Amino acid sequence: MSRAVRVVERYIYELYNDGQIALVDEICGDPMIRHSAGSTTALTRAEQRSRIQHDLAAHDPKFTVVTLVGDDEHASLTWNAQRLRNGERLCGIEIFRVSGAGVITDVWNSNYFEGEWS
């Protein structure tokens, strides 16, 4: 299994699904660049922790991996999630860049969509 895939698995399962917020300091870059269509946002580790804590408290999302493939630098993730607070189901695709030190430096996000990948 590639380094990038291992790091993204930890991001999804340990950080989000298990709520291990302290893991941000180990696997997220400082800054971590989030790419959206037409814009980028650089988040410090403190900002990343705050963003994830807010998401967990507001929605209690639980992710499942549909596909996760990559090499030592990039991982492509297709996911489904359920927001346990309201039952909403979302899906998305993200591309991660992981540095040689094993931290996520960049994430490219599409919009999230209601429903699930099959």
Side-chain angles (χ1 to χ4, degrees):
M1 178 183 311
S2 74
R3 177 181 56 239
V5 168
R6 283 193 309 271
V7 171
V8 172
E9 278 187 330
R10 295 188 73 201
Y11 184 81
I12 292 297
Y13 294 125
E14 296 175 35
L15 180 55
Y16 267 94
N17 284 0
D18 295 342
Q20 295 180 33
I21 300 298
L23 193 58
V24 166
D25 293 333
E26 184 179 334
I27 67 169
C28 294
D30 194 5
M32 186 166 116
I33 310 298
R34 298 190 64 86
H35 302 262
S36 298
S39 69
T40 60
T41 304
L43 298 173
T44 65
R45 285 188 175 132
E47 291 168 328
Q48 186 74 347
R49 278 192 305 276
S50 178
R51 182 186 75 80
I52 294 169
Q53 285 173 319
H54 178 267
D55 191 33
L56 294 176
H59 304 292
D60 194 16
K62 294 301 176 213
F63 289 87
T64 57
V65 170
V66 178
T67 62
L68 177 55
V69 297
D71 56 25
D72 283 339
E73 185 178 5
H74 292 93
S76 171
L77 170 67
T78 307
W79 54 262
N80 291 324
Q82 181 177 12
R83 288 179 166 173
L84 299 181
R85 298 267 187 261
N86 65 7
E88 182 180 27
R89 294 186 180 275
L90 299 172
C91 58
I93 298 173
E94 299 181 64
I95 307 295
F96 294 80
R97 179 184 289 148
V98 176
S99 75
V103 298
I104 299 167
T105 59
D106 295 83
V107 180
W108 288 263
N109 295 86
S110 67
N111 290 335
Y112 304 145
F113 300 97
E114 197 169 317
E116 294 184 336
W117 299 113
S118 56

